Amino acid sequence: MKRRTVLSFTTATFVALSTQTALGQETHPETGETLAENQVFSYRLLDQFPTLDPALNEETVGFHAIRQLFEALVSQDADGNVIPGVAESWENTDYTTWTFTLREDARWSNGDPITTEDFLYSWRRAVDPATASPYAWYIELSSIENATEILAGEADPETLGVEAVDERTLRVNLTRPLPFFPTIATYATFMPVHRATVEEHGDDWTAPENIVSNGAYVLEEVALNERWSATKNPEYWDADSVIIEEVVGVIINDENQALTRWEADEFDHVEPLPNGAFPRLQEQYPDEATSVPRLCSYYYQINQRPDAHPALQDPDVRRALSLAVDRDVIVDQILQGGQLAAYNFIHAKTAGFTVPELDYATMTQAERDAEAVELIDAAGFGPDGEVLELELIYNTSESHRQIATIISQMWKQKLGVDITLTNYEWTTYLDLRKAGNFDLARSGWCADYNEGSTFTKILRTDHENNDGKYSNPEIDAILDTVLTSDDPNADYAEIERLLAADMGIIPIYHYANAFMLDSTIKGWPYNNAENNWYVKDFYRIAAE
């Protein structure tokens, strides 16, 4: 076990930790373990989250923070199962009408009671085109009545199929049966926001001095590109069960520096790890190095907009680029953290999904390389033709840089393709990707819920996160019916075959969550494949 010493991130942090309310040598009420005096959980972030507004969030870093500050009707346990949140119970009729009963003791951090009106306001706000939520499509995906019409500007947000029967009873009407609606409702987009605070402060409502939230923690500080912190919310309905008193996130863009600082005991948790580091860490820190499946897929988007590079409109060129990527080199020699080589998009560990047999997945790499050369030559490029010049963009990360570098070398050596690599900080990178200012773009998609549609939905032609604007009408048609299909796995398999035939994207690997966690921190949800962790469930035991 690593010796635990608390180092200061900044003078302010040191003071905060030093004045932390101590639990002394109390014991855990269920396990009987002796609790440490220091009940602070600290972790490393790769990037600054763009927003703490649940309606505006669209990425993983922000969701990790938002989950600590806000709570939806439902939440998740350590195994990823749906459990009560603000709602103490729920029932449904034919999976199309869902009725949630809110708990009486649910309160905002300022003491106001949480009512069904809060959810009506918040969900209507999220789906309202005027809010410009990048995840408004998620409410449409949930099949709530009139969501499609509202997003199209054809109906008023007030017509969304949600009804406050009374202050504690919320009724949700869907356009089609959706057995896993509660699973969808755990995401940030469905979390409530405090109307009076939003209306009073506008875009600044999430500033520490303004924010009113309903989760287990309340925001204390956001130091841009440095850190953020939150402290225990005494108004949280289950505050008596929350042991960790403070959450601290430290932003470090460099994976190697982050690991070095973790080994110096500056924080408790670090992910992702430097490429290739996991085997050494697992041997050196057997109690603290972990790799578990994570429902995320790493891929390159290919710009197929009308004004994009003409060569990328050719499916044979796209196929050549994909075939030439030796995925085994990426996962076995570069990453070495339990990741799986990917030839399809849906993560192999997604519940109820069986990876279909795809032609290029069963080839040897030598066979893939040979076909790639034939295709690129036939397209007029390659060593004997025109030099294909493309730009690949990625967000700042040593891991992304290493992967981009090795793949660009594969393309150069095998196909004669010249790749310009350009990295951007997170927010700029997202803006460029959304605007279509790229040829190829590093992308990752993490499950919003554990079912195949969480991946396939972004392949739809007009989807908000389909930045390359890949389009296949056959896939769109399947997506229209897959949620009510008698055999969704067969439909997902067909989507994967169509995607591979077009090579609409370049799948590279399926994530594993390789991370370091201080052995005194207990309660980590190792079996939650979505990597949704809730600090309210953690506690620190006294070091031996």
Side-chain angles (χ1 to χ4, degrees), residues 43-54 56-70 187 206-208 211 218-230 247-253 425-428 430 533:
Y43 75 107
R44 174 268 181 142
L45 297 78
L46 174 64
D47 296 294
Q48 172 69 53
F49 40 72
T51 183
L52 288 176
D53 186 331
L56 299 182
N57 182 71
E58 60 175 324
E59 44 81 56
T60 303
V61 177
F63 189 33
H64 281 322
I66 289 170
R67 271 199 311 278
Q68 318 318 321
L69 302 174
F70 295 88
Y187 192 69
T206 57
I211 193 169
V218 290
L219 187 64
E220 283 290 318
E221 178 189 11
V222 177
L224 192 64
N225 294 318
E226 293 183 11
R227 64 190 299 279
W228 80 281
S229 66
V247 184
V248 178
V250 185
I251 300 167
I252 308 171
N253 291 131
E425 60 86 21
W426 182 238
T427 302
T428 302
L430 288 178
W533 41 266

Side-chain angles (χ1 to χ4, degrees), residues 340-468:
L340 302 172
Y343 300 90
N344 70 292
F345 188 42
I346 303 174
H347 194 291
K349 298 298 184 181
T350 302
F353 175 68
T354 302
V355 177
E357 185 173 295
L358 303 175
D359 65 341
Y360 79 118
T362 60
M363 297 178 180
T364 65
Q365 189 56 46
E367 291 170 335
R368 285 192 283 266
D369 290 344
E371 182 181 336
V373 171
E374 291 179 3
L375 290 171
I376 206 74
D377 284 346
F381 300 106
D384 299 324
E386 180 184 348
V387 176
L388 179 57
E389 298 180 350
L390 300 171
E391 181 184 28
L392 168 59
I393 68 170
Y394 61 94
N395 55 299
T396 302
S397 158
E398 178 61 19
S399 176
H400 300 331
R401 186 197 67 79
Q402 288 181 340
I403 293 171
T405 299
I406 193 68
I407 289 178
S408 65
Q409 291 171 348
M410 292 174 182
W411 287 337
K412 177 65 175 177
Q413 294 168 5
K414 299 174 183 181
L415 307 178
V417 176
D418 282 348
I419 300 292
T420 299
L421 301 179
T422 310
N423 74 289
Y424 298 94
E425 60 86 21
W426 182 238
T427 302
T428 302
Y429 157 78
L430 288 178
D431 290 342
L432 289 169
R433 227 177 58 182
K434 284 190 176 301
N437 294 329
F438 66 91
D439 296 324
L440 303 153
R442 196 291 306 178
S443 297
W445 188 257
C446 294
D448 299 317
Y449 50 92
N450 195 351
E451 201 272 340
S453 62
T454 194
F455 290 96
T456 58
K457 64 195 177 191
I458 70 167
L459 300 175
R460 188 183 290 275
T461 299
D462 58 356
H463 194 278
E464 177 79 18
N465 295 95
N466 181 0
D467 297 322

Side-chain angles (χ1 to χ4, degrees), residues 296-312:
C296 302
S297 293
Y298 192 104
Y299 65 106
Y300 282 170
Q301 291 202 57
I302 305 171
N303 195 342
Q304 293 156 71
R305 300 169 186 241
D307 59 348
H309 195 300
L312 298 179

Side-chain angles (χ1 to χ4, degrees), residues 160-181:
L160 188 67
V162 186
E163 176 187 358
V165 179
D166 55 43
E167 286 193 347
R168 294 184 53 219
T169 307
L170 185 73
R171 183 173 297 145
V172 185
N173 298 310
L174 309 184
T175 58
R176 54 186 170 183
L178 201 62
F180 54 92
F181 176 78

Side-chain angles (χ1 to χ4, degrees), residues 201-219:
H201 298 288
D203 292 342
D204 294 329
W205 79 268
T206 57
E209 63 272 19
N210 300 329
I211 193 169
V212 173
S213 58
N214 76 317
Y217 297 90
V218 290
L219 187 64

